[in-house]
Amino acid sequence: MSDQPTVTAYEIATVNFDRAADLLDLSPEWRTMIRTPFREMKVEVPLYRDDGSFTTFIGYRVQHNGARGPFKGGIRFSPHVGEQEVKALAETMTYKTALVDIPFGGGKGGVNVDPRDLTQRELEHVTRRYVSRIHLILGPNRDVPAPDMGTNAQTMAWIVDQYGRQHGYSPAVVTGKPLELGGSPGRAQATGRGVMLIALAAARDHLGKAPADLRVAVQGFGNVGMNAALLLAEAGATVVAVSDHTGGFHNPGGLDVAELAAYVTRDDGDGTLAGYPGAEPVGADDFMGVDCDVLIPAAIEGAIHKDNVASVQARLVVEGANLPVTPEADRQLDERGVLVVPDILANAGGVIVSYFEWSQNFQQYRWSEADVNERLERILLKAYHDVAAKMKALDASMREAAFALAIGRVVSAEELRGSL
Ligand code: NAD
């Protein structure tokens, strides 16, 4: 596909780390210690298909750093999942939880399976086999997965059940569960809500624009992209373009996001934008160049890269996805004065509400959605202001400031533990 990353997720993570480590004047020994994962697990995930054939997928769980609390991070089902990608995403989680100052470390998992190729029964089996291989390193106080690309609340329900068979009732072993099984109100929308809150704050502070003056384009119309688009439209912004892996739609006068969401989530649909009749299609190559104020890549790694960055018209890029801007594209955007809000801040809403879910599970108590949303906003905007202050103090980009703040907290936790 023309919009595939030109550098790997791991290379992006390395540049992000190195720049901040330079600002912190971190020694080579500390750099190696912080970057090296605590533990990496690679497992077979065998499956008898419904047609009787037999396939074996590869599953991973990387626990990057647990100095500040249990490892925390999603499980991704995607044919692109590989060791280096999972490592990079696990490391990103370490800095995300540190930046928003919640008591977790960073982890990530995945299976190199395309969930769209599997039936529900097959997906359940893949999930259960994967959990049966990694359950010994999971646990409410050890490692707490969540949904990510290609997984959802149903996947988490299977994980709770499978884990519970060996360890007893443990709802806090995963977050992003269905409400009926101890999920938190507001969790499904949380990452998109966080993207919306950060986009509006950054647009106010850096573009001097109110929500009603904003034109927004969102790549990815899944959990993050769809909810961010819906909430931005609700806040008064004009969503001019959206896309998913099947294609995109553009209307300079504004798309009807609620109608698009209803189209994608309709009972007899395939969960994609394909065939949407209400707007003009826009090709993947043209999407990043759509005329807008705010561009939100909320799909894949490396989506904005050296070959399409010159076309970006937005003055503000908000990273809904993890690692969606390559270092070269980031450098060019910075030179052009385009503010890029880094993933570890922009998409931290999900892990913050995961923290609320985990807390509620320990308490066996349910908070109201209004309470969840209010606490989310407080924690996320505090992190936003902390990063803004650090940007000034270091005279650095928002990404450098966010990573410096986060890495500094991880180093400090390691030093205090004294466990080296
Ligand atoms: P999802 O599976 O719900 O949705 C992914 C969307 O991206 C789909 O609409 C898919 O069609 C689209 N997509 C895939 N390839 C594409 C391409 N080449 N071009 C355009 N669109 C494409 O996944 P999600 O949970 O929304 O996650 C999206 C990103 O956000 C990932 O990077 C994930 O790691 C990150 N993230 C997710 C959460 C969360 O709570 N779900 C939290 C933080 C970060």
Side-chain angles (χ1 to χ4, degrees), residues 1 3-4 76 96 108 116 147-150 187 191 219-225 243-246 298-301 320-322 347 350:
M1 223 185 274
D3 58 348
Q4 282 298 293
R76 176 175 288 198
K96 195 179 298 183
K108 203 80 174 190
R116 293 180 291 244
D148 194 80
M149 200 187 273
R187 173 61 184 87
T191 307
Q219 184 203 38
F221 208 65
N223 178 283
V224 181
S243 74
D244 69 9
H245 69 281
T246 66
I300 50 166
E301 291 95 60
N322 288 313
N347 69 31

Side-chain angles (χ1 to χ4, degrees), residues 200-209 384-385 388:
L200 295 186
R204 180 196 61 215
D205 296 345
H206 295 269
L207 308 181
K209 288 203 175 210
Y384 171 82
H385 292 302

Side-chain angles (χ1 to χ4, degrees), residues 12 15-16 19-20 319 323-327 330 333 339-344 387 391 396-405:
I12 301 176
V15 174
N16 289 345
R19 285 197 186 139
E319 295 189 334
L323 311 167
V325 179
T326 67
D330 199 34
L333 291 170
L339 180 75
V340 181
V341 184
D343 47 11
I344 59 170
V387 171
M391 273 174 86
S397 72
M398 196 174 232
R399 189 187 308 282
E400 289 165 342
F403 276 81
L405 199 53

